[in-house]
Amino acid sequence: LDVTGLESFVVLVGEVVAVRGKNVTGTKLVASEIYYPKPLPLLKSPGNLLKRFYEPPRNPDKGPLSIVIAAGPFSTSDNVRYDPLQDFLQTCAQ
């Protein structure tokens, strides 16, 4: 993929994009445009549903609702095995 003809671009490891370009020689795609997907809409939960999870639990071993938020990318520059995501999920499971 040859992006030298683009004025500017940002592509993160593991990010899904679409590329428009030409492969004249059969050896490389010369990009003329990069398309990024539209972000998904934010999800909303009705308050009464959340309240049901926050009220004192019937099981004394469990506490109130906990919310954990993380933002990627979850791959590193040397691999796409998503090790940081796995670490995050293990932390959440504890």
Side-chain angles (χ1 to χ4, degrees):
L1 178 61
D2 182 352
V3 294
T4 57
L6 297 176
E7 185 175 316
S8 67
F9 67 95
V10 175
V11 178
L12 302 173
V13 175
E15 183 176 14
V16 177
V17 297
V19 178
R20 175 179 286 198
K22 294 183 180 180
N23 186 356
V24 179
T25 63
T27 59
K28 65 180 174 181
L29 176 65
V30 179
S32 58
E33 294 182 68
I34 295 181
Y35 299 97
Y36 303 91
K38 291 182 180 178
L40 296 173
L42 296 176
L43 299 177
K44 297 178 183 176
S45 298
N48 59 346
L49 176 64
L50 292 176
K51 185 177 178 185
R52 191 173 53 153
F53 288 104
Y54 187 73
E55 291 175 349
R58 292 185 180 96
N59 183 345
D61 295 334
K62 293 184 179 179
L65 172 67
S66 294
I67 297 176
V68 181
I69 299 171
F74 293 106
S75 56
T76 59
S77 59
D78 60 340
N79 71 62
V80 290
R81 292 182 306 198
Y82 298 96
D83 292 336
L85 178 60
Q86 293 300 322
D87 293 342
F88 171 72
L89 294 175
Q90 287 178 356
T91 300
C92 291
Q94 295 174 355

